[in-house]
Amino acid sequence: MPDAVAAMTGRDRFLAALRRQPVDATPVWFMRQAGRSLPEYRALRARHDFMTMATTPELAATATLMPVARLGVDAAVLFADIMLPLAGMGVSFEIRPNAGPVIPEPIRSEADVARLRVADAEASTPYVFAALRLLRRELGDTTALLGFAGAPFTLACYLIEGKASREFPRAKALMYGRPDLWRRLMEVLTETTIGYLNGQIAAGADAVQLFDSWLGLLGPEAYRKHVLPYTRRIFAALPTYVPAIHFSTGSVALLDQIAASGCAAVSVDWRLPLDAAWERIGQGLAIQGNLDPTMLLTDWETTRDGALDVLARAAGRPGHVFNLGHGVLPETDPDRLARLVALVHGHASDGA
Ligand code: CP3
């Protein structure tokens, strides 16, 4: 191991990989590591509802730190939700157990869109920034602190549909059929997201991830016309010293365009092998991924072989952050996650 990269902290390792610099071991964290499979999270959640946890800085910080202590991951992802900044736009929402976000009055008409305003991040989500400041102090230099936001397209899916959906037909119909309304909605979401992410950076986030979870619903033309301009605007509005990760799933057909969005790293799912995905996005960007989370529901040998395959395809090239292709499934055994972290950290890419 070269001296220059010996004994890195998790924070160093995670940020170096996002900057495509050499690391002493592949950094690893898991999407949805904070809120799903940990029994200590469930115990805390049994005493407080989700919104109370998310809006109470001490509780949000506690939930954020749980997977760091138990799993040994290199990055802590803020305990929050993509819906939180919408309140400041004048949208009320609920987070229902097992159902996810519900918008009692969905945004569907010209008047609905006209009522929306760009959120003042400090005024509407001060608890998010307070949690980040607490976490920054708590984590020091040992573990990276990752902020996040939902991307305008994915937020618009919920805003228009009003709830989770397989195909988000109302949202897509508004996008195709009322491009004028869509544009205004995306503008407000884009400006809100910029303020929200910059607030998180000012409060101590080392890096940020933009979750465009439902991008796989779009073809390349629709993406180019109705989504990419806003994504680009968001990445361009963040300070260049803060690496930004673009997340989506099912977006194989969009990878070339995502690579040109201005992000530092592209998070990819398992639908393409990691090396093929990296080829598509180009070696000039870092890559995050891409183990299928259902592999963790099998025996350890299957999980291990899947992870080793991901690492072999990364082939020790600078710029790989190990992760799953989507969030941790609730039924995942936390011991399996911890064992996977140890495997990734112990793996020598040169076969030594
Ligand atoms: O590791 C973490 O869990 C960190 C915090 C986090 C939450 N949501 C907490 C949460 C993060 C990073 C998110 C992101 C999020 N939220 C996304 C993007 C990521 C992805 O999976 O694609 C999306 C699409 C949402 C919207 C959302 N919020 C859904 C679909 C749900 C349903 C249930 C679930 O767990 O996915 C939520 C609710 C939610 N967000 C919970 C948690 C812990 C469960 C609420 C509860 O405890 O009742």
Side-chain angles (χ1 to χ4, degrees):
M1 186 191 299
D3 283 349
V5 293
M8 298 174 99
T9 66
R11 187 189 194 193
D12 294 340
R13 195 178 285 139
F14 177 74
L15 291 173
L18 289 178
R19 298 184 173 118
R20 293 182 299 111
Q21 293 162 356
V23 286
D24 62 341
T26 300
V28 50
W29 69 285
F30 302 115
M31 288 179 275
R32 309 304 307 276
Q33 66 189 15
R36 278 195 165 164
S37 74
L38 302 189
E40 55 271 37
Y41 168 75
R42 296 225 174 104
L44 189 62
R45 174 70 181 76
R47 291 192 279 125
H48 310 279
D49 66 24
F50 175 77
M51 283 307 287
T52 302
M53 285 194 53
T55 58
T56 309
E58 293 72 20
L59 290 174
T62 299
T64 302
L65 293 170
M66 283 172 170
V68 176
R70 174 172 312 221
L71 308 177
V73 286
D74 297 296
V77 58
L78 174 69
F79 184 86
D81 193 75
I82 60 168
M83 304 304 284
L84 300 180
L86 299 182
M89 287 174 49
V91 177
S92 43
F93 63 85
E94 297 161 27
I95 303 279
R96 297 213 182 126
N98 306 317
V102 173
I103 315 254
E105 293 169 70
I107 306 300
R108 293 180 186 164
S109 69
E110 191 137 5
D112 294 338
V113 174
R115 267 195 297 275
L116 299 176
R117 55 183 189 270
V118 174
D120 174 340
E122 278 299 334
S124 67
T125 45
Y127 50 85
V128 165
F129 308 127
L132 285 166
R133 285 190 294 269
L134 273 178
L135 285 161
R136 176 74 282 149
R137 275 203 301 279
E138 194 73 34
L139 293 168
D141 197 34
T142 59
T143 308
L145 181 54
L146 183 64
F148 74 90
F153 172 72
T154 289
L155 293 175
C157 283
Y158 286 111
L159 278 180
I160 299 164
E161 211 68 35
K163 57 179 172 31
S165 159
R166 261 179 80 83
E167 304 280 352
F168 290 97
R170 285 191 187 85
K172 287 176 68 180
L174 189 139
M175 180 187 80
Y176 291 127
R178 287 298 307 269
D180 55 325
L181 274 194
W182 177 261
R183 196 177 318 118
R184 272 152 57 198
L185 177 58
M186 292 299 271
E187 301 268 346
V188 182
L189 286 166
T190 299
E191 294 309 315
T192 295
T193 304
I194 289 171
Y196 186 59
L197 286 175
N198 275 320
Q200 292 186 44
I201 291 164
D206 292 310
V208 293
Q209 177 156 318
L210 190 69
F211 280 99
D212 217 345
S213 302
W214 313 132
L215 263 196
L217 295 171
L218 297 182
E221 234 352 79
Y223 182 64
R224 185 189 62 73
K225 194 166 164 197
H226 298 298
V227 178
L228 180 61
Y230 309 99
T231 306
R232 294 182 72 117
R233 214 197 285 172
I234 291 170
F235 288 135
L238 305 178
T240 48
Y241 62 86
V242 176
I245 307 167
H246 180 284
F247 169 81
S248 61
T249 64
S251 52
V252 169
L254 311 176
L255 282 182
D256 317 80
Q257 296 191 72
I258 290 169
S261 67
C263 58
V266 179
S267 193
V268 293
D269 72 12
W270 55 90
R271 289 173 176 88
L272 269 186
L274 189 93
D275 48 344
W278 212 344
E279 194 135 310
R280 286 280 301 283
I281 66 175
Q283 298 295 330
L285 293 181
I287 192 164
Q288 174 173 278
N290 71 338
L291 188 66
D292 186 335
T294 55
M295 281 219 185
L296 280 91
L297 305 183
T298 64
D299 54 292
W300 165 247
E301 287 68 29
T302 304
T303 306
R304 181 198 61 202
D305 291 350
L308 290 175
D309 181 62
V310 170
L311 290 164
R313 290 174 188 279
R317 283 190 295 260
H320 177 221
V321 174
F322 191 98
N323 207 317
L324 308 177
H326 203 165
V328 170
L329 296 165
E331 51 273 61
T332 306
D333 179 354
D335 291 341
R336 181 63 66 85
L337 289 168
R339 199 168 175 188
L340 180 55
V341 171
L343 176 80
V344 173
H345 280 161
H347 177 78
S349 59
D350 57 5

